[in-house]
Amino acid sequence: MFKNYINGEWIDGKTGKDNINPSDITDIVGTYARADVQQANNAIEAASAAQPMWSASTLQHRFDVLDFVGTEILARKQELGNLLAREEGKILPEAVGEVVRAGYIFKFFAGEALRCSGEHIRSVRPGVEIDILRQPIGVVGLISPWNYPIAIPAWKIAPALAFGNAVVFKPAELAPGCGWALADIIARSGIPKGVFNLVMGSGSTVGNVMVNHPKVDGISFTGSVEVGRQIGSQCGQKMKKVQLEMGGKNPLVVLDDADLNVAVNAAVNGAYFSTGQRCTASSRFVVTEGIHDRFVKAVTERLARLKVDDALAEGTEIGPVVDDTQLSKDLEYVEVAQKEGGKVVYGGERLKRAKNGYYMSPALITETTSAMRINKEEVFGPVASLIRVKNYDEALAVANDTPFGLSSGICTTSLNHASHFKEYAQAGMVMVNLPTAGVDYHVPFGGRKGSSYGSREQGKYAVEFYTTVKTCYIAP
Ligand code: NAP
Ligand code: MG
């Protein structure tokens, strides 16, 4: 059994859970510990006891720890990428890419640990000086989803440690393998015991303890809207700092003046790569009349050529859906869209492959409207719906007609439309002639409206969540 890491020791779970390969459900990646309430409490107590010492640690020590972790991740990118593809179903090149990203995130925050500083400001009163200090918030609970099992843990753990917080980390039970591998590296990085703790187990047990424990000062959560909303209100009641990154219903607008090739590439990549299991995936194509038929034809032709198979097999372009529950949900949404009047022009069916896995053909549904459920609710699978519009103004209105606001894309050769869209798209991230998914590791990430709550993650903006400021007035 892969154990939890609590107060510097590897601890067996009270029970365990098998981590299953969605490309081949006879392949068990491993059995991973499930902590109980007591073990989750122990981890929080350990973090709380260790945090003051970590807060007082030298910046050099923090840099060295984070740099060590980044270096080892990068050196083991093939092996860790293999693990990621096996446990989550992302194809190997994408999985290796995610591992590399995680490595660079640790390197980036090694540097941020050195750069984090306060301000010195003169007072409006004579003889008084003001120092604004940035201090860690204390113990942070980090809760991550299964779809980026190494990058998301990295972009939470690295800034948390860089700025002097102690960590209790809970990966998703569906894909805990990369979280465990990351913990194993961190455990050998020279970090003092108790500063970093891995507590695998269910959200309803371990996650719930983290959210409600009085010694957890902040929660950074990425996952579904329902769970996020619940955690947000619990944290509000307990006066805990909270940051929530949740779902999306990201539009890709395609205008008549778009370069068709660019638009089709952006659409196919954004909607279907990583099996559509990206919070930034394009799930709504908003297409103007003049290019509509050419766009649908070209996307359909491309989808027909995409190879859906084992995530680890050479040449696979789309891996399996993560599990049977998600697969049923994806297929159900295709049905819902059809019942509402949508036309399935390609895919949306369960596929059989040599190995028994959760395979599905990428689905394109045309003739849909903004009012339909398929355009309101997040599917989180290889399913995209298309809304035909008259012109740019209608396209912008439809793109914004959603409770979500994570990523929003446009394909156009018009600088006017691109600039206008950049200004008026209601989203945390805007992409012009690029897929809605696929972002850099050194700049802020997050959304608006129902997609995100609290300050941004990643880049130098991560400091907002993982530190608090203290304003000191000094009369010498
Ligand atoms: P999820 O079901 O909400 O789970 C996310 C995490 O929360 C898991 O670790 C889960 O534990 C835990 N959890 C569940 N119930 C909890 C509770 N009551 N208290 C505390 N923690 C709890 O989401 P998911 O199915 O793993 O991931 C898919 C979702 O993530 C999608 O909606 C996607 O859009 C979103 N996502 C958003 C972003 C972003 O940055 N905006 C990025 C990636 C994914 P267990 O599952 O282990 O029980
Ligand atoms: Mg889940």
Side-chain angles (χ1 to χ4, degrees):
M1 186 185 308
F2 290 89
K3 299 178 181 182
N4 278 318
Y5 188 65
I6 299 171
N7 202 20
E9 284 175 42
W10 291 99
I11 310 278
D12 252 325
K14 289 292 158 167
T15 53
K17 190 168 195 256
D18 286 346
N19 180 359
I20 292 163
N21 176 354
S23 297
D24 173 7
I25 60 177
T26 62
D27 176 33
I28 311 284
V29 179
T31 304
Y32 288 79
R34 305 187 91 187
D36 63 5
V37 170
Q38 186 55 49
Q39 290 176 324
N41 280 326
N42 292 347
I44 294 165
E45 292 293 345
S48 176
Q51 196 273 330
M53 172 257 300
W54 184 242
S55 174
S57 63
T58 64
L59 297 185
Q60 190 60 52
H61 190 178
R62 293 187 210 166
F63 176 94
D64 289 341
V65 162
L66 295 168
D67 187 58
F68 173 96
V69 176
T71 300
E72 183 166 330
I73 291 172
L74 291 173
R76 291 171 57 196
K77 65 180 181 186
Q78 285 301 337
E79 172 212 341
L80 292 172
N82 208 80
L83 170 66
L84 200 164
R86 195 173 156 214
E87 72 167 340
E88 198 265 350
K90 203 167 276 177
I91 61 168
L92 192 57
E94 288 175 339
V96 172
E98 185 184 331
V99 170
V100 168
R101 178 191 176 94
Y104 285 134
I105 287 169
F106 274 93
K107 295 271 181 185
F108 176 84
F109 282 108
E112 287 298 280
L114 306 181
R115 282 186 287 269
C116 177
S117 66
E119 274 185 282
H120 179 80
I121 294 179
R122 289 177 62 193
S123 170
V124 293
R125 288 174 276 165
V128 177
E129 296 289 325
I130 302 171
D131 279 321
I132 301 171
L133 310 181
R134 278 215 177 260
Q135 298 193 319
I137 61 175
V139 174
V140 290
L142 310 179
I143 302 176
S144 60
W146 49 264
N147 68 323
Y148 281 93
I150 194 158
I152 294 179
W155 80 53
K156 294 183 189 300
I157 294 167
L161 295 176
F163 304 133
N165 301 281
V167 167
V168 179
F169 162 51
K170 190 203 101 58
E173 280 211 301
L174 261 181
C178 286
W180 187 91
L182 188 52
D184 168 60
I185 297 171
I186 295 170
R188 290 182 283 97
S189 67
I191 201 167
K193 77 179 177 106
V195 174
F196 171 83
N197 303 272
L198 168 75
V199 194
M200 299 177 289
S202 76
S204 51
T205 304
V206 174
N208 191 52
V209 170
M210 288 162 70
V211 171
N212 288 295
H213 199 292
K215 289 188 180 169
V216 173
D217 303 288
I219 293 283
S220 178
F221 165 87
T222 301
S224 62
V225 175
E226 308 79 68
V227 177
R229 201 170 276 150
Q230 184 189 329
I231 289 178
S233 59
Q234 286 170 313
C235 287
Q237 257 168 9
K238 304 255 174 296
M239 307 274 187
K240 275 190 211 315
K241 198 166 182 182
V242 66
Q243 173 182 63
L244 309 169
E245 288 298 343
M246 300 165 287
K249 196 72 210 174
N250 311 292
L252 178 72
V253 170
V254 179
L255 297 184
D256 286 354
D257 63 27
D259 177 319
L260 185 66
N261 240 339
V262 167
V264 172
N265 284 338
V268 171
N269 175 323
Y272 305 105
F273 285 10
S274 300
T275 323
Q277 297 174 149
R278 297 188 282 190
C279 50
T280 47
S282 320
S283 50
R284 295 181 297 140
F285 299 143
V286 182
V287 184
T288 48
E289 285 172 345
I291 198 171
H292 177 275
D293 293 356
R294 283 182 291 146
F295 176 79
V296 170
K297 183 166 178 277
V299 171
T300 309
E301 281 170 8
R302 185 73 65 80
L303 293 184
R305 288 203 306 272
L306 284 181
K307 192 171 167 220
V308 182
D309 208 333
D310 185 341
L312 287 165
E314 180 96 31
T316 299
E317 290 166 289
I318 304 214
V321 171
V322 73
D323 72 350
D324 51 353
T325 310
Q326 184 66 50
L327 178 62
S328 309
K329 186 178 163 195
D330 297 350
L331 295 170
E332 196 183 309
Y333 267 107
V334 174
E335 220 170 278
V336 165
Q338 252 172 322
K339 283 200 183 121
E340 289 178 308
K343 186 174 147 205
V344 181
V345 292
Y346 187 84
E349 288 170 336
R350 180 147 198 189
L351 298 175
K352 275 210 168 355
R353 289 294 178 258
K355 289 174 179 161
N356 184 9
Y358 304 117
Y359 301 106
M360 166 178 178
S361 51
L364 175 63
I365 305 159
T366 60
E367 312 300 329
T368 72
T369 65
S370 240
M372 294 180 182
R373 264 183 73 197
I374 191 66
N375 288 317
K376 296 236 166 288
E377 298 164 20
E378 184 183 52
V379 179
F380 217 58
V383 178
S385 44
L386 189 149
I387 306 168
R388 188 200 305 243
V389 292
K390 284 195 175 56
N391 51 31
Y392 169 75
D393 290 339
E394 191 187 349
L396 177 66
V398 166
N400 287 338
D401 183 18
T402 168
F404 296 106
L406 190 55
S407 181
S408 195
I410 189 167
C411 292
T412 178
T413 51
S414 150
L415 184 58
N416 258 347
H417 287 145
S419 306
H420 191 271
F421 191 79
K422 220 170 62 179
E423 184 71 26
Y424 293 101
Q426 294 167 0
M429 294 174 290
V430 172
M431 312 290 184
V432 178
N433 295 320
L434 287 167
T436 55
V439 296
D440 283 8
Y441 64 84
H442 66 307
V443 288
F445 177 95
R448 293 185 183 179
K449 293 159 76 175
S451 288
S452 300
Y453 183 84
S455 55
R456 287 281 186 270
E457 299 200 80
Q458 300 192 62
K460 66 180 184 189
Y461 292 74
V463 78
E464 296 300 336
F465 180 74
Y466 292 102
T467 64
T468 180
V469 290
K470 182 187 274 176
T471 313
C472 311
Y473 295 84
I474 307 128

